[in-house]
Amino acid sequence: QKEVEQDPGPLSVPEGAIVSLNCTYSNSAFQYFMWYRQYSRKGPELLMYTYSSGNKEDGRFTAQVDKSSKYISLFIRDSQPSDSATYLCAMRVGNNDMRFGAGTRLTVKP
Amino acid sequence: DSGVTQTPKHLITATGQRVTLRCSPRSGDLSVYWYQQSLDQGLQFLIQYYNGEERAKGNILERFSAQQFPDLHSELNLSSLELGDSALYFCASSPRTGTDGYTFGSGTRLTVV
């Protein structure tokens, strides 16, 4: 079993839809949870950063962490074609190296 | 531009050869991380340096080595290259070796033929 599981998709939605992206993990020691967005031929860019359980909102993006279920989510409201990218979840224990999910490829169709 | 500079952007080389990938971290960042990204493996952590010293090692092959120089730039050396080493190699940096998110470069695409 991988430490971080993420459905690779691909996921295709119409413009304006609400998108839900998810990851599960097995290591209960993970404390810091992140979502990265990666456009084609580019490096991943940090989108959201949360510590421990709870919700965090930034514009159209909401990150949720449920440590009891070892489950994290990223919601994108009013999705736009410019949101089309691969979304990677990532998590770490304290100072240790970050573990990434495989990434979910999202396409938002106009 | 993320502030993390990787060179070269593309590299094509033959099996058995050796290459060096270079990374300049974002100004002020002391930690440098190297990742390998292939289609079937996702982002795999290779190695981390903090202020010139090796801090953590991931799934880095013995044929691969890295170092961080006094000016904080880092180099990843890949030797005895095999077809399976073809991948995107990313460098990332962060201010400390703490709990910050990483800033990634645009990567080096290595093709071994």
Side-chain angles (χ1 to χ4, degrees):
Chain A
Q1 183 190 8
K2 288 184 180 177
E3 225 174 353
V4 181
E5 298 274 4
Q6 183 176 11
D7 186 341
L11 183 61
S12 181
V13 301
E15 184 175 353
I18 296 174
V19 176
S20 172
L21 304 166
N22 312 293
C23 286
T24 58
Y25 60 93
S26 56
N27 187 351
S28 58
F30 283 133
Q31 299 168 292
Y32 301 90
F33 303 90
M34 281 142 278
W35 286 94
Y36 284 80
R37 177 175 61 196
Q38 185 176 19
Y39 291 113
S40 182
R41 298 190 187 90
K42 298 287 187 183
E45 58 177 325
L46 183 63
L47 203 55
M48 299 286 282
Y49 181 109
T50 53
Y51 169 69
S52 197
S53 284
N55 294 358
K56 183 173 183 178
E57 190 173 319
D58 184 2
R60 296 185 294 111
F61 299 89
T62 300
Q64 286 186 352
V65 174
D66 182 350
K67 290 195 73 179
S68 62
S69 302
K70 299 193 186 72
Y71 188 89
I72 70 170
S73 301
L74 178 70
F75 297 96
I76 308 174
R77 291 183 299 280
D78 187 25
S79 56
Q80 303 295 308
S82 59
D83 295 328
S84 298
T86 296
Y87 290 80
L88 302 110
C89 63
M91 45 200 81
R92 70 194 298 184
V93 180
N95 293 345
N96 293 336
D97 59 275
M98 202 174 304
R99 305 290 172 165
F100 284 85
T104 300
R105 195 168 64 181
L106 170 69
T107 300
V108 181
K109 295 186 175 180
Chain B
D1 181 7
S2 68
V4 178
T5 304
Q6 286 189 251
T7 57
K9 290 193 186 306
H10 304 277
L11 204 47
I12 301 175
T13 190
T15 55
Q17 294 299 303
R18 173 190 166 93
V19 297
T20 297
L21 312 183
R22 183 188 167 100
C23 169
S24 294
R26 198 177 55 165
S27 178
D29 286 357
L30 299 178
S31 274
V32 169
Y33 311 81
W34 286 97
Y35 281 84
Q36 180 192 58
Q37 187 177 44
S38 55
L39 279 174
D40 57 345
Q41 292 291 323
L43 266 172
Q44 297 293 312
F45 171 67
L46 296 177
I47 197 164
Q48 177 203 355
Y49 280 84
Y50 174 72
N51 204 21
E53 292 189 6
E54 183 184 304
R55 184 58 64 101
K57 247 181 180 177
N59 300 321
I60 188 167
L61 300 171
E62 285 194 11
R63 301 183 285 111
F64 296 1
S65 65
Q67 55 184 326
Q68 186 180 29
F69 295 87
D71 67 353
L72 300 178
H73 91 270
S74 178
E75 293 181 355
L76 178 67
N77 301 297
L78 316 176
S79 61
S80 303
L81 285 167
E82 302 174 359
L83 295 178
D85 297 327
S86 296
L88 266 168
Y89 290 83
F90 285 104
C91 167
S93 71
S94 71
R96 309 165 288 175
T97 181
T99 55
D100 313 290
Y102 301 169
T103 302
F104 280 83
S106 294
T108 293
R109 182 174 293 278
L110 173 65
T111 303
V112 182
V113 297

